[in-house]
Amino acid sequence: MTSERRFALALVAPALAAILLVAVFPLGWTVWESLHRHDLRMPWLGRPFVGLGNYAEILRDGRFRGAMAHTATFTAVTVALELLLGLFLALAMNRAFRGRALVRAAVLVPWAIPTVVAALLWRFLFDSQAGVVNAALTGLGATAEAPVWFVDGTLAWVPLVLADVWKTTPFVALLLLAGLQNIPGELYEAAAVDGAGRWGRLRHVTLPLLRPAILVALVFRTMDAFRVFDLVYVLTGGGPGTATETIALYTFNTLFQNLRFGYGSALSVTVFAVTFALAMIYVRALGTGPAGEGR
Amino acid sequence: MLPPTAVLRRPARAARVLATALLALLAACGGDAGGDGVRLTVSGSALGKEGEVLRRQMARFEAANPGVRVEVQQTPDDATQRHQLYVQWLNARVGRPDVLQLDVVWTPEFAAAGWILPLDRYGPPRADLFPASLEANTWRDTLYALPWFMDVGMLYWRTDLVPTAPRTLDELEAQARRARPGTAPPRRGIVWQGARYEGLVTVFLEYLGGFGGAILTPDARVAVGSPEAVRALRFMRAQVARGGIAPREVLTWHEEEARFAFQNGTAVFMRNWPYAAALLGDTAESRVAGRFAVAPMPAAPGGRPTAALGGAQLAVNAHSRHPDEAYRLIAFLTAPEQMLERAAVVGQYPARRSVYADPRLEAALGLPVAGVLDVVEAATPRPVTPIYTQLSGILQVHLHRALVGETTPEAALAAAAREMERVVERTGIRRVQR
Amino acid sequence: MRGRGAGPLATAALALLVAFAAFPFAWALLASVTPEAELFRGGGVLPERWVADHYRALFATRDFWVPIRNSLVVAGTTTAFCVTVGGLAAYALARLDFPGKAPVLGLVLAVTMFPQISIVSPLFLLLRGLRLIDTYPGLVLPYLTFAMPLTVWLLVGYFRQIPPDLEEAARIDGATRWQALTRVVLPLAVPGLATTAILTFIYCWNEFLFALSFTLGPDRRTVPVAIALFRGQYQVPWGEVLAASVVATAPVAALVLAFQRRIVQGLTSGAVKG
């Protein structure tokens, strides 16, 4: 083994050890559970091994399909919005202007508020009687009658998406800002000399060099959006009906309300598989996985 | 090969330092402090006045039982969060808390899972308990928990707007329409909890009983698709539809939103739990202090006034190391004297019949005892089965869909009945339940 | 783009976004000094009377310092651990050649892909076996499941963007790999490290489910859990909850203000040529 390899492995070992310590048992346990029929409420049924039986049930489960559809839509919309807004904010914060520090801090505040509190805040804001949103809408004459947001299957998504975008755009913005910092100024000047306008610089200099940062932002935001729980639980509880039920909420119900640990574990493994597939797609599409080379 | 090992030394040292630090932290924490005497842990509502009265009673228990120390382990009062913690702990066979505060619908679930102890061998005061409590806390003919206090859904009505409490559902409707708050903002006839959560099922249970229906028959057959149930749901739907006596907002409301609406004087009737009475009587904050009273929810012909049973139960952790002392604590906390004290301080309705014969109760509650007893005796438990939470989840979804207008009441209840029947079949619960 | 004047449209959009970001918090601030009954009355935004009761209750009756301390310790320890340990791994992944890079990255990321709720139960069993329930390490360890992947992936990106010329130059001058790493690369990576630290810290600060599940008593509870315990069965003491959130956001905002200059150092501070 070359000295480089030894050095590398020594550097990687602690992180790997820490991860393995915390991760191997829970992940293995979940996968193992998913292969059994295990209902805590009825211990007399035992814990029989059913192989892929739970997964077959998932395929037949209409509520699962609904939850997946909701989650996928939520993920797509919020990640797209957060990326766009985050990019805009990052570009704006990259400039030198007075009060920049304060703007940065102000922009980061939403993310610093505990999720449960943020959800409560937004529920308040969209309350049909006491909420500011409806007061503004009726005050400005935009609608005659104040809508009851959480009672309509489509409208209920608005506060959800807004709350999530509000809360996590700062994360994306900060990520992209740090990425922007790494782009040498000379490249912009060279592009300007070549006659590129603002859009041209954005397209040909900024975005390509931001690709690694965008990739990380995409991967992590997608994973988080896919697993969103606290926000939905507090804001809508999955309602009206199951219109806003996400897959994490459904899994939580299955595990801790219905105590069906086998089936709930199978749901978790399915979420994992989907998220993993998405991550792989991102890495392929954006080309520059951190382990690979080539820009 | 000196150079590579020299290189390795520095990062390896760093790693070693980190590892030692971690181990030191590990050693410093954890570990049981052994002590003499018995230490009992109670998990229960310990906020505000409830916390005060609980601590006072625990101190009296400690004085009367030397060698036993009691402490409170705070768990979230949010039912879902507390339930999740209990499931986690009990599934991991953790022995503490020794005494668990259970929501009334959890007893059969925990009993079936083997997580709480049967209490019959301690000779609990069965004769003094209300039939509804006995039913809710019995699984396979054994008593598994004692009721700490009775929560019952009931009708709050404005004494200044309505002459008497309505005796039938039609009378309720008529009175709500006739008497609207004159000067207040949005006029509402009745407010209740209609968001998609367990509270909705309790509201539905009351209308259902009022029309003579039930969710599950005693032999665990799903009865939610019956004509009585459809009538009940139609009645509720009419209330929130255009021109109905309830505002559409109730479909997003939990207990507090309804309470505030009534407290601010904008509703003639409210369906809520007993906790609201004390807050409504607060002359500083409430606009209806002294101008309301309580009554059982009325019924239609063919039904009977029904009050959904809620409240907390106390049970012994099956893995507790001191089950006998734990039961002694439960017996103490549910003794008549302690229940009377809770009534006085927190306004919770006692769960033992003998307390209602006590002349001090009226002063303690600040309400006429006869009226309270009426409601308590109308208490009806939700289906007593380990799979209740799952059934309720299904029912909530379909009820809410019908109320929101996505489907008709018939279709919603038929779908709910089918799904619930499927769950009952698949879990084979019918064979196990008595 | 840098340093040039912004169009009025861009400035307006920025102002709108900042307002969007700040408004709910400002509203929470106002609500936290409003008496409770007024909150639900649906009146105007400004309260009729201002009260400091909620803040007083926070510290007098609820001892809110303790959860803040706990959150700081847990978030701080996790961040420090992840940035150092994860940073080392990230450097290796970014710069060095060794077999199994992609699997390592994949494994590190895979941990985060399971919904938290599914690993709560087995994690509880694991921590209980290690006797770490209701301790600081008992929270730091589970937090690694999301903090470590984030740190590693972020830092890999930042390390890769530092040109290798400097390290090569240093090694030619006789430095060991370790010295090249610590003396040349790390100073340049400070903006990336600072950003990663802030992101990780806030991530941990916000975390609720693990903190709820793995702590038992008031001595180790973190801020989100403490806030969740404010509420009774039906009632949410809004004033106190909002006051607690305002108070809880302050250390984080301070941290960000302190760190944000570090983020901006950037490569153009003169170190790199060509």
Side-chain angles (χ1 to χ4, degrees):
Chain A
M1 208 191 303
T2 65
S3 73
E4 178 175 347
R5 275 202 194 161
R6 236 188 256 211
F7 184 52
L9 290 174
L11 289 183
V12 172
L16 216 52
I19 292 270
L20 286 175
L21 169 66
V22 215
V24 161
F25 176 63
L27 300 190
W29 187 94
T30 309
V31 174
W32 185 236
E33 271 285 285
S34 74
L35 301 175
H36 294 75
R37 189 171 172 213
H38 192 191
D39 190 324
L40 296 183
R41 299 164 299 188
M42 285 165 274
W44 55 85
L45 291 178
R47 195 170 160 258
F49 181 83
V50 290
L52 296 178
N54 285 326
Y55 294 96
E57 192 183 333
I58 290 181
L59 289 177
R60 292 194 302 265
D61 189 350
R63 195 157 159 184
F64 167 78
R65 281 196 294 273
M68 273 306 236
H70 300 144
T71 314
T73 323
F74 176 77
T75 305
V77 174
T78 52
V79 173
L81 279 175
E82 283 156 16
L83 211 56
L84 281 171
L85 290 176
L87 185 62
F88 176 77
L89 271 176
L91 291 168
M93 291 196 288
N94 201 18
R95 302 161 172 282
F97 61 87
R98 252 210 303 257
R100 174 165 64 169
L102 232 57
V103 168
R104 283 208 200 104
V107 161
L108 269 181
V109 157
W111 197 41
I113 300 185
T115 314
V116 182
V117 178
L120 285 173
L121 264 177
W122 280 90
R123 198 162 111 187
F124 235 26
L125 288 175
F126 273 85
D127 186 77
S128 49
Q129 294 297 301
V132 175
V133 172
N134 275 3
L137 281 178
T138 46
L140 293 174
T143 52
E145 199 185 287
V148 184
W149 297 90
F150 297 108
V151 157
D152 182 293
T154 325
L155 282 184
W157 282 106
V158 173
L160 263 180
V161 169
L162 272 180
D164 194 77
V165 168
W166 175 80
K167 187 146 205 322
T168 43
T169 302
F171 172 78
V172 177
L174 194 56
L175 239 167
L176 296 179
L177 176 64
L180 281 177
Q181 292 300 312
N182 279 333
I183 301 178
E186 297 88 48
L187 288 176
Y188 289 118
E189 281 153 26
V193 162
D194 280 351
R198 202 173 275 158
W199 275 119
R201 285 201 297 276
L202 185 63
R203 269 182 60 210
H204 297 293
V205 179
T206 315
L207 285 182
L209 290 177
L210 257 190
R211 253 212 256 168
I214 294 181
L215 173 68
V216 178
L218 265 180
V219 169
F220 278 89
R221 274 312 308 151
T222 306
M223 286 197 315
D224 280 349
F226 229 82
R227 299 171 310 154
V228 68
F229 174 69
D230 286 332
L231 199 68
V232 186
Y233 174 64
V234 174
L235 260 179
T236 63
T242 49
T244 58
E245 190 173 65
T246 60
I247 192 68
L249 201 58
Y250 183 49
T251 311
F252 176 81
N253 271 336
T254 311
L255 284 172
F256 286 102
Q257 295 292 84
N258 299 345
L259 303 191
R260 297 183 61 203
F261 266 53
Y263 190 61
S265 302
L267 285 173
S268 315
V269 173
T270 313
V271 175
F272 165 77
V274 174
T275 327
F276 192 77
L278 279 173
M280 287 302 105
I281 294 176
Y282 283 148
V283 170
R284 283 294 147 80
L286 288 182
T288 60
E293 289 299 340
R295 252 181 233 167
Chain B
M1 294 287 284
L2 226 47
T5 46
V7 152
L8 282 173
R9 214 170 281 143
R10 295 286 284 299
R13 190 186 303 164
R16 233 179 288 136
V17 169
L18 273 165
T20 332
L22 201 63
L23 280 169
L25 267 169
L26 276 170
C29 326
D32 252 343
D36 46 336
V38 173
R39 260 177 70 212
L40 288 180
T41 320
V42 179
S43 155
S45 298
L47 291 177
K49 297 222 188 98
E50 281 189 86
E52 277 173 40
V53 78
L54 179 63
R55 274 182 279 278
R56 232 185 304 165
Q57 293 180 350
M58 276 172 15
R60 289 209 299 269
F61 178 79
E62 282 179 345
N65 290 274
V68 180
R69 293 206 43 237
V70 189
E71 37 186 57
V72 171
Q73 187 171 313
Q74 204 185 352
T75 47
D77 272 332
D78 177 87
T80 317
Q81 284 168 7
R82 181 177 276 148
H83 187 261
Q84 180 228 324
L85 285 179
Y86 282 179
V87 168
Q88 217 173 283
W89 294 338
L90 296 169
N91 192 30
R93 297 184 214 278
V94 177
R96 291 219 215 111
D98 304 89
V99 173
L100 304 164
Q101 174 183 334
L102 303 179
D103 196 12
V104 67
V105 292
W106 299 349
T107 312
E109 179 188 29
F110 284 32
W115 291 342
I116 52 180
L117 288 181
L119 300 179
D120 278 331
R121 65 188 172 112
Y122 295 110
R126 281 170 161 268
D128 205 14
L129 298 178
F130 290 96
S133 296
L134 279 174
E135 195 185 330
N137 288 317
T138 303
W139 168 246
R140 295 219 219 169
D141 293 326
T142 321
L143 191 67
Y144 276 89
L146 288 182
W148 205 0
F149 56 88
M150 298 283 273
D151 241 1
V152 277
M154 51 197 195
L155 187 71
Y156 288 73
W157 54 283
R158 288 279 295 274
T159 50
D160 56 340
L161 297 174
V162 162
T164 59
R167 276 152 306 169
T168 65
L169 285 173
D170 287 328
E171 210 177 312
L172 170 71
E173 173 103 21
Q175 282 178 342
R177 284 189 192 284
R178 266 200 311 262
R180 294 301 190 92
T183 50
R187 303 102 173 268
R188 297 147 170 165
I190 184 171
V191 292
W192 33 268
Q193 300 82 47
R196 200 211 90 178
Y197 78 126
E198 179 65 19
L200 174 58
V201 177
T202 58
V203 173
F204 176 64
L205 190 74
E206 283 155 12
Y207 284 106
L208 185 60
F211 278 91
I215 298 180
L216 276 191
T217 62
D219 57 337
R221 301 223 156 266
V222 177
V224 142
S226 65
E228 291 83 17
V230 174
R231 247 177 279 151
L233 189 53
R234 263 208 215 116
F235 189 83
M236 288 170 73
R237 167 112 178 79
Q239 285 187 349
V240 284
R242 211 168 259 289
I245 54 174
R248 200 161 161 71
E249 278 82 10
V250 297
L251 297 179
T252 64
W253 284 0
H254 298 77
E255 285 79 4
E256 281 290 88
E257 287 96 333
R259 195 249 307 176
F260 276 119
F262 192 74
Q263 182 173 304
N264 290 334
T266 63
V268 185
F269 293 108
M270 168 177 75
R271 181 271 177 193
N272 216 325
W273 306 94
Y275 88 98
L279 298 159
L280 292 172
D282 180 358
T283 42
E285 299 286 344
S286 163
R287 289 198 185 146
V288 298
R291 295 189 284 155
F292 71 94
V294 300
M297 286 292 288
R304 55 177 204 84
T306 310
L309 176 68
Q313 332 293 308
L314 291 174
V316 176
N317 186 338
H319 312 294
S320 162
R321 281 190 234 164
H322 312 287
D324 297 338
E325 287 84 352
Y327 178 78
R328 238 186 289 154
L329 178 60
I330 292 181
F332 178 80
L333 289 173
T334 55
E337 273 306 309
Q338 274 66 252
M339 284 196 175
L340 193 62
E341 189 179 8
R342 280 190 90 92
V345 176
V346 192
Q348 286 170 342
Y349 296 172
R352 293 177 74 147
R353 233 184 245 287
S354 50
V355 186
Y356 287 87
D358 192 319
R360 293 172 289 173
L361 184 60
E362 183 139 350
L365 280 179
L367 289 172
V369 171
V372 172
L373 200 52
D374 268 345
V375 186
V376 167
E377 281 179 335
T380 309
R382 284 157 271 178
V384 183
T385 165
I387 56 172
Y388 173 72
T389 327
Q390 196 169 356
L391 296 178
S392 167
I394 297 171
L395 192 55
Q396 286 171 34
V397 165
H398 292 283
L399 284 178
H400 206 246
R401 282 204 192 129
L403 290 171
V404 163
E406 265 178 52
T407 57
T408 65
E410 297 90 341
L413 286 175
R418 268 197 310 271
E419 268 183 64
M420 288 163 75
E421 189 61 47
R422 231 193 325 231
V423 171
V424 173
E425 287 297 318
R426 189 185 48 217
T427 57
I429 205 70
R430 208 170 280 145
R431 278 169 270 144
V432 174
Q433 219 155 301
R434 94 192 121 74
Chain C
M1 265 266 197
R2 211 190 302 217
R4 282 179 218 240
L9 202 64
T11 320
L14 178 65
L16 208 68
L17 270 178
V18 173
F20 175 60
F23 169 68
F25 183 72
W27 184 88
L29 198 59
L30 276 176
S32 70
V33 291
T34 313
E36 184 155 335
E38 259 191 68
L39 282 174
F40 277 90
R41 227 167 262 174
V45 176
L46 286 177
E48 287 165 30
R49 27 184 245 269
W50 302 62
V51 293
D53 302 342
H54 306 307
Y55 288 94
R56 220 178 298 141
L58 262 191
F59 294 103
T61 38
R62 297 200 195 263
D63 237 355
F64 202 58
W65 301 113
V66 178
I68 293 186
R69 175 203 75 194
N70 293 335
S71 275
L72 283 172
V73 170
V74 172
T77 315
T78 313
T79 306
F81 185 78
C82 285
V83 171
T84 44
V85 172
L88 293 175
Y91 176 75
L93 286 163
R95 275 285 185 265
L96 306 174
D97 186 32
F98 64 94
K101 267 205 216 181
V104 166
L105 265 174
L107 175 67
V108 161
L109 196 60
V111 171
T112 322
M113 288 183 183
F114 273 82
Q116 270 196 323
I117 350 153
S118 13
I119 51 178
V120 162
S121 271
L123 267 178
F124 182 77
L125 292 170
L126 174 71
L127 290 172
R128 192 156 161 265
L130 293 174
R131 293 169 149 271
L132 289 179
I133 295 290
D134 213 27
T135 64
Y136 286 135
L139 275 186
V140 173
L141 278 179
Y143 279 16
L144 295 181
T145 58
F146 55 81
M148 190 73 90
L150 181 67
T151 327
V152 168
W153 270 66
L154 282 176
L155 288 176
V156 165
Y158 295 135
F159 280 129
R160 284 198 61 219
Q161 295 196 310
I162 299 174
D165 333 6
L166 293 165
E167 290 164 71
E168 280 160 22
R171 294 212 65 215
I172 290 173
D173 283 349
T176 62
R177 285 190 193 277
W178 180 255
Q179 286 169 333
L181 167 61
T182 49
R183 303 227 186 105
V184 175
V185 178
L186 280 187
L188 287 175
V190 163
L193 290 171
T195 312
T196 309
I198 295 184
L199 290 174
T200 313
F201 185 87
I202 302 186
Y203 225 115
C204 299
W205 184 263
N206 262 336
E207 200 286 326
F208 176 65
L209 185 67
F210 285 172
L212 174 70
S213 307
F214 304 141
T215 59
L216 296 175
D219 281 335
R220 289 288 176 266
R221 269 185 218 130
T222 58
V223 167
V225 179
I227 294 183
L229 288 172
F230 283 2
R231 57 165 298 175
Q233 190 185 3
Y234 306 120
Q235 296 168 268
V236 179
W238 285 100
E240 280 167 46
V241 168
L242 292 172
S245 321
V246 169
V247 166
T249 317
V252 179
L255 207 81
V256 169
L257 273 174
F259 265 71
Q260 57 90 29
R261 198 169 299 145
R262 294 245 172 249
I263 306 175
V264 198
Q265 264 175 14
L267 285 177
T268 53
S269 48
V272 184
K273 286 185 255 267

